């Protein structure tokens, strides 16, 4: 089993065309997915912040006005 493992020899390089192709394919797949995920998360976060701001504004407006007393 150990005989099938690649051994470190002085003629090996850190760069190979195969590794470059693999890197490009992986980047071509994962970069758009990561970008789409970031855009989706950012959009949802902005929507949530907008809703929280609206609720806070309503609560602030409600607390600024004294409660009305019922008419007899």
């Amino acid at each position: 089993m150990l005989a099938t493992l690649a051994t470190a020899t002085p003629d090996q390089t850190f760069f190979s065309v195969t590794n470059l192709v693999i890197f490009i394919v992986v980047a071509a797949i994962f970069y758009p997915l990561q970008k789409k995920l970031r855009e989706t998360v950012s959009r949802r976060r902005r929507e949530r912040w907008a809703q929280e701001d609206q609720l806070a504004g309503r609560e602030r407006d409600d607390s600024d006005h004294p409660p009305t007393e019922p008419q007899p």
Side-chain angles (χ1 to χ4, degrees):
M1 182 170 145
L2 293 177
T4 60
L5 295 176
T7 58
T9 59
D11 62 335
Q12 286 183 330
T13 61
F14 291 106
F15 173 79
S16 73
V17 175
T18 305
N19 288 339
L20 180 62
V21 170
I22 291 170
F23 176 75
I24 290 171
V25 168
V26 169
I29 292 171
F30 286 110
Y31 179 73
L33 291 175
Q34 179 260 354
K35 187 175 178 183
K36 176 77 171 169
L37 179 65
R38 286 177 57 99
E39 290 173 355
T40 302
V41 169
S42 295
R43 181 177 37 82
R44 288 181 182 170
R45 184 184 319 117
R46 285 190 300 268
E47 290 171 356
R48 187 180 71 240
W49 287 348
Q51 289 174 351
E52 290 173 356
D53 286 346
Q54 287 177 349
L55 289 174
R58 289 182 197 148
E59 290 175 1
R60 190 174 45 249
D61 289 344
D62 290 344
S63 66
D64 288 345
H65 301 294
T68 57
E69 297 192 21
Q71 297 293 331

